[in-house]
Amino acid sequence: MATAEAPLREIIKSISFTKFPLRTIDTFFVADKIEKPRLYCYPPPPPLEQSQSSIRATAAGVSEDLANLSRLPTFDVKSLCILTALRFIDYDFDVEYTSEPDASPDKQLPFLLFCDGSVLCGKEIMGRLRGVVSGPSSTSDASDRKDSSAALGRLWFPETDLPSELVYRTMAERNLVPAIEYMAWGDPVGRECIGVERYLGHYPGIIQSILGWIKSSEVIQGLKMMQPEYTAGNSMRLDGETVYETAFHALDSLLVLFEDVGDSRMFLAGKRSLLDAVVFSCVSVALDAPVDSPLRKALLCKDEYRRVLDYALRLRRLYFS
């Protein structure tokens, strides 16, 4: 049965230009092919003023002037942790600096891009480094620990000499890292000179303020949920002293490992490990922060933390000079 649209359809089909083949247009942008895995992370911190660095070195009685050390490769503690861990295992990769976390599949930096286009986000990288194979691109044989695309290769740490390395590392991740996050987003001074200027400095001023307030609220809420007295719906105020006190307790618990660290023993677990990557990153970011946080003051001025300070400076010269 004929329909009202049938004559119009036949007329369109009879027009000559509708019979021409479709015209193809070359792609305006072609992504560069990478020759080896590329880690996308936050950029290095800006150079410190000479007077600021000298005061830090003098306050601790440190023979090395912090101003003479190379800048950290990134100001972000999580980016530095993964970058350090990859350096520890001599992983062959490039670094690409960016301040746009939306480029990552999980909206967080860092992430690792492989030559075949596959991506590992920060948590997945840490899982691989711990020896945990998971995700759609992994093989079912956990003992092999290789990516099915062969792009990842061997990305994990060997067994350490410290049986309780996992316990110490978990303690550091749950107590030291939150103190660094509070320093950047919870402390009013740190929020302005670290959170807004470093993380959001590429945005216009008004956008910086809005995004800074949103990010600060998210971080503070997350830190509140980690407090033992937190309950759902509780409008408790986050106490910075409590966050730092928890970090000091963790650092004091780690001091027993620093007793044997020196010229003959470079690492906390006897061998290069994720524990060293986490502790080194937290200590280094705290030292380089442009705010006088309680954590930085203690590292620079208290004698009991001198070994911790020397440890961080030694690894920094060894892997990031």
Side-chain angles (χ1 to χ4, degrees):
M1 180 177 177
T3 61
E5 293 83 3
L8 180 60
R9 189 182 304 117
E10 293 299 327
I11 293 174
I12 293 176
K13 288 182 179 180
S14 65
I15 300 176
S16 59
F17 66 80
T18 61
K19 299 179 182 179
F20 291 163
L22 295 177
R23 181 184 178 185
T24 59
I25 301 177
D26 295 335
T27 306
F28 291 103
F29 173 79
V30 179
D32 295 333
K33 292 184 178 180
I34 59 177
E35 302 296 331
K36 54 185 176 181
R38 180 178 295 174
L39 181 71
Y40 287 83
C41 64
Y42 285 103
L48 295 175
E49 295 182 2
Q50 182 69 25
S51 58
Q52 201 172 15
S53 300
S54 300
I55 291 174
R56 295 183 186 181
T58 304
V62 183
S63 58
E64 302 92 348
D65 188 355
L66 294 182
N68 294 330
L69 291 175
S70 300
R71 282 191 300 165
L72 289 174
T74 174
F75 61 77
D76 178 64
V77 65
K78 294 181 180 179
S79 297
L80 181 60
C81 179
I82 291 179
L83 199 155
T84 303
L86 295 177
R87 292 279 183 91
F88 279 173
I89 61 174
D90 298 322
Y91 193 69
D92 188 20
F93 68 103
D94 291 326
V95 177
E96 183 74 18
Y97 292 119
T98 178
S99 296
E100 287 292 348
D102 286 343
S104 172
D106 66 347
K107 309 300 181 183
Q108 294 182 8
L109 293 175
F111 68 93
L112 193 60
L113 175 66
F114 299 102
C115 301
D116 64 351
S118 59
V119 176
L120 281 183
C121 303
K123 292 182 179 179
E124 295 172 332
I125 299 173
M126 293 297 288
R128 296 298 181 98
L129 290 170
R130 295 186 185 105
V132 179
V133 178
S134 60
S137 63
S138 303
T139 60
S140 58
D141 185 5
S143 62
D144 187 49
R145 297 179 179 180
K146 287 186 178 180
D147 187 82
S148 59
S149 64
L152 184 57
R154 296 184 175 273
L155 184 60
W156 78 91
F157 280 92
E159 295 295 331
T160 65
D161 298 335
L162 182 65
S164 54
E165 186 268 342
L166 175 60
V167 177
Y168 283 109
R169 186 203 331 138
T170 303
M171 178 181 63
E173 290 175 341
R174 293 182 179 180
N175 297 284
L176 293 181
V177 175
I180 302 300
E181 292 180 340
Y182 178 83
M183 179 184 68
W185 294 105
D187 180 82
V189 178
R191 181 172 62 247
E192 291 301 320
C193 60
I194 300 178
V196 174
E197 288 189 12
R198 294 188 177 183
Y199 285 91
L200 306 174
H202 56 294
Y203 289 109
I206 185 63
I207 304 299
Q208 288 183 17
S209 302
I210 296 174
L211 295 180
W213 179 82
I214 294 174
K215 179 64 177 180
S216 177
S217 301
E218 292 176 350
V219 171
I220 290 176
Q221 182 63 23
L223 294 176
K224 283 182 180 180
M225 296 175 64
M226 299 176 64
Q227 303 302 317
E229 62 272 18
Y230 175 83
T231 56
N234 183 9
S235 59
M236 61 169 286
R237 180 178 178 273
L238 181 65
D239 187 4
E241 293 184 1
T242 303
V243 176
Y244 285 120
E245 183 179 355
T246 305
F248 284 128
H249 287 325
L251 204 56
D252 291 340
S253 300
L254 290 168
L255 287 179
V256 64
L257 301 180
F258 285 98
E259 293 179 357
D260 298 328
V261 174
D263 295 334
S264 60
R265 187 175 183 225
M266 292 286 295
F267 303 98
L268 298 177
K271 299 177 182 178
R272 294 171 291 183
S273 67
L274 277 178
L275 172 62
D276 292 280
V278 174
V279 174
F280 165 78
S281 300
C282 292
V283 172
S284 298
V285 171
L287 288 174
D288 270 32
V291 295
D292 289 325
S293 68
L295 185 58
R296 197 198 75 180
K297 289 181 180 179
L299 289 169
L300 289 175
C301 301
K302 291 188 177 182
D303 293 337
E304 58 265 35
Y305 298 133
R306 179 58 184 268
R307 286 182 176 270
V308 182
L309 179 62
D310 292 340
Y311 160 84
L313 296 178
R314 185 169 56 250
L315 290 186
R316 184 166 170 178
R317 288 193 301 268
L318 182 61
Y319 288 97
F320 299 108
S321 60

